[in-house]
Amino acid sequence: MLISILALTGCVTTNQRVLDSGDQTQLQKRSYQSRTFETADKERVLRATISTLQDLGFVIDRADLTLGSVSGTKLAGHQTKITVSVRPKGNDRMLVRANAQFNISPIEDPQHYQDFFTSLEKSLFLTAHAGE
């Protein structure tokens, strides 16, 4: 009986940790992991995302235009993984959301996401003005 109670207690603790969002709320995380871009061209945003990740040293693991997702890995003495999703927001904008992990821990420092989005914004600007 005691073993059963201990086993159930262990399961509850594990489930709570899996669903635990840490100190930040999901809304706070989404706010710094997401950015909206003023374009309706999903393919252009995905291509710019791939270029940006490669410029930042990531190797692209998977890219899917239909799903609007790109995953990449960066190995530099540690492993950083990132998944970026692109989906329409209204008729004339794209919502880009990035989610990154350092080894097995989620990256929760907003500065890393701001750096990524700044680089992506520059890439989109350069591709839009490349033909001029």
Side-chain angles (χ1 to χ4, degrees):
M1 174 96 171
L2 179 61
I3 292 173
S4 297
I5 292 172
L6 290 175
L8 289 175
T9 304
C11 291
V12 170
T13 303
T14 301
N15 287 340
Q16 289 173 344
R17 287 185 183 160
V18 169
L19 300 175
D20 187 12
S21 63
D23 295 337
Q24 301 170 330
T25 66
Q26 289 299 319
L27 185 60
Q28 288 171 321
K29 288 180 183 178
R30 282 188 191 192
S31 70
Y32 63 75
Q33 291 177 337
S34 304
R35 185 160 302 171
T36 302
F37 293 93
E38 300 292 328
T39 179
D41 191 344
K42 184 178 180 180
E43 183 175 342
R44 183 175 147 235
V45 175
L46 276 170
R47 289 185 184 277
T49 299
I50 291 170
S51 297
T52 300
L53 290 174
Q54 289 175 328
D55 290 346
L56 295 173
F58 284 87
V59 174
I60 304 303
D61 299 324
R62 182 179 298 173
D64 189 316
L65 176 61
T66 304
L67 294 175
S69 67
V70 179
S71 297
T73 303
K74 182 178 185 178
L75 299 172
H78 58 274
Q79 184 180 40
T80 305
K81 290 183 156 266
I82 188 166
T83 300
V84 180
S85 63
V86 178
R87 63 181 176 91
K89 184 175 183 181
N91 293 328
D92 58 348
R93 295 182 292 166
M94 288 289 148
L95 176 66
V96 178
R97 183 169 182 197
N99 193 336
Q101 289 184 325
F102 181 82
N103 291 326
I104 59 169
S105 300
I107 295 177
E108 296 181 341
D109 182 358
Q111 185 62 48
H112 295 291
Y113 294 97
Q114 288 174 358
D115 292 344
F116 166 72
F117 286 123
T118 299
S119 296
L120 178 59
E121 193 173 276
K122 288 177 183 175
S123 178
L124 284 167
F125 177 82
L126 289 173
T127 57
H129 296 87
E132 296 178 5

